[in-house]
Amino acid sequence: MNHTSKNQDKNKAHYEKLYAGYNINNILHWLNNRDVFLELATKTETSWFALYQGDFKYKLKGKKILEMGCGDCVNAAIMAGLGAEVYANDIADASGEIVKKINENFEFDHPIKFVKGDFLKNDLPGAQFDYVIGKAFLHHLEIPLETLFLTETARLLKPDGEARFFEPAVNSKLLDEIRWHIPIGNRPSKFNTTAFLKWKENDPHPDRSFSSKHWKKAGSKLFREVEIIPVGTLERFSRLFGWGERRNRFKRWALKNEKLLPKFINLILTRSQLIIYRGVVVNEK
Ligand SMILES: C[S@@+](CC[C@H](N)C(=O)[O-])C[C@H]1O[C@@H](n2cnc3c(N)ncnc32)[C@H](O)[C@@H]1O
């Protein structure tokens, strides 16, 4: 089956360009100062805070992990630095170049293995991974393609394996509309119709559901257990603080304290989510 589409072509073009000639010095610095990096990242950055929930970093040594959509490969490198045997894939071949450079410059227990090209054409034997990870990955796929990736996740995981996906969350239509009308970075406001449509033309995100309900339903077909952990209800306001230590201090405070809010409030207002799937129901191939 051919898995290309206009959206996938856009993703490939966008990320090949973004990661081309990537300087890995920052990754090497973080690998060499891994504990300090993780301490900071998991307390300040939503994606790291979410993905490393539940003492994740202590669970990785000797484990076999697949990361889909590894991008700049920082997370793949950190997981390998923690002693995991990491397989990584990205639609962008530039990620493979990053992996090659990291492997040449850092002594891992297990060098990272890059699975090049269309991941759905991989010939990896099933039921072999302890973890399948996606960090800001699934929401880049149109839903029929996501279904194929989730089915592949179920095929590749060991029966007691676990999948963790950190993704954005849109559980309130009203909040989402407000968000689209506030310009941020290079994204213009929806009020500015022409500029917005031009921006959208190059944006690698498909129009699709990002709701927790969607990911719960999608996972329930393949896994016995689905857990959704909302992240970012208060942290989302960090944008009001500009850049710098004041903003980081707010982020740390917000990530720590938003957990105290009732879960139904967090679920509606959250900006992102960690989706955990456990207990494979279907091992298809
Ligand atoms: C938002 S980036 C996230 C990158 C990285 N995981 C991170 O946390 O920084 C999304 C990544 O998904 C990749 N991607 C999109 N479609 C893909 C596909 N069909 N197969 C593999 N990777 C894909 C993109 O190339 C990009 O690197």
Side-chain angles (χ1 to χ4, degrees):
M1 201 195 299
N2 192 353
H3 304 115
T4 58
S5 67
K6 189 171 173 219
N7 167 262
Q8 286 291 285
D9 293 346
K10 242 200 265 184
N11 266 274
K12 184 159 168 64
H14 182 93
Y15 287 103
E16 290 291 14
K17 192 168 159 202
L18 188 67
Y19 305 135
Y22 191 92
N23 183 336
I24 63 155
N25 285 347
N26 56 347
I27 303 184
L28 294 177
H29 178 74
W30 294 329
L31 277 170
N32 287 314
N33 300 274
R34 196 191 60 222
D35 291 342
V36 178
F37 168 78
L38 270 175
E39 175 67 15
L40 265 178
T42 59
K43 290 213 164 107
T44 319
E45 299 303 328
T46 18
S47 64
W48 290 85
F49 174 86
L51 204 58
Y52 281 72
Q53 300 253 335
D55 284 341
F56 186 57
K57 75 169 179 175
Y58 298 113
K59 298 179 179 168
L60 301 186
K61 197 166 175 55
K63 293 290 183 340
K64 204 161 175 178
I65 306 192
L66 166 69
E67 180 163 358
M68 296 164 159
C70 60
D72 58 15
C73 308
V74 178
N75 185 52
I78 293 292
M79 293 192 300
L82 287 164
E85 186 182 349
V86 178
Y87 288 63
N89 166 263
D90 200 283
I91 196 171
D93 296 340
S95 297
E97 292 302 310
I98 299 176
V99 165
K100 185 166 173 276
K101 283 195 255 176
I102 300 173
N103 283 339
E104 283 166 1
N105 287 282
F106 194 84
E107 193 86 13
F108 292 111
D109 290 353
H110 310 278
I112 306 165
K113 298 177 187 71
F114 188 71
V115 183
K116 190 178 159 153
D118 181 348
F119 185 70
L120 296 170
K121 294 188 178 144
N122 76 74
D123 51 10
L124 297 166
Q128 62 162 315
F129 287 96
D130 297 287
Y131 290 100
V132 172
I133 301 294
K135 187 156 141 329
F137 164 64
L138 289 179
H139 75 287
H140 281 257
L141 311 176
E142 283 158 322
I143 286 179
L145 186 59
E146 177 186 85
T147 305
L148 297 176
F149 269 91
L150 290 180
T151 306
E152 192 55 9
T153 299
R155 185 186 76 82
L156 288 167
L157 273 177
K158 290 178 180 170
D160 61 347
E162 179 176 297
R164 288 187 170 214
F165 296 106
F166 170 77
E167 300 297 334
V170 176
N171 292 336
S172 154
K173 279 215 163 78
L174 176 67
L175 257 188
D176 196 41
E177 269 313 303
I178 295 172
R179 188 178 71 89
W180 284 116
H181 286 84
I182 301 172
I184 192 147
N186 66 351
R187 188 187 79 202
S189 159
K190 238 183 169 179
F191 286 125
N192 189 347
T193 318
T194 317
F196 183 81
L197 286 177
K198 189 160 175 242
W199 169 83
K200 190 94 188 70
E201 187 54 32
N202 294 313
D203 180 51
H205 300 96
D207 283 326
R208 49 156 289 174
S209 171
F210 301 143
S211 74
S212 302
K213 247 189 210 152
H214 159 74
W215 273 303
K216 194 163 184 195
K217 195 169 161 211
S220 303
K221 295 177 188 150
L222 297 159
F223 303 90
R224 280 193 299 277
E225 205 185 312
V226 178
E227 189 181 355
I228 305 279
I229 302 175
V231 176
T233 300
L234 297 178
E235 188 276 347
R236 70 191 311 153
F237 296 106
S238 65
R239 285 172 170 67
L240 303 174
F241 286 76
W243 292 102
E245 189 42 38
R246 230 179 110 232
R247 180 186 193 169
N248 286 342
R249 225 180 304 129
F250 174 79
K251 284 167 81 155
R252 285 194 284 274
W253 174 86
L255 289 171
K256 191 169 160 205
N257 286 291
E258 63 186 33
K259 284 186 189 158
L260 305 173
L261 296 168
K263 185 154 183 198
F264 78 95
I265 303 259
N266 263 329
L267 257 183
I268 297 169
L269 301 182
T270 191
R271 186 164 79 94
S272 20
Q273 57 194 319
L274 177 69
I275 303 149
I276 302 182
Y277 297 142
R278 296 187 195 92
V280 179
V281 173
V282 192
N283 262 333
E284 286 217 318
K285 280 184 225 163

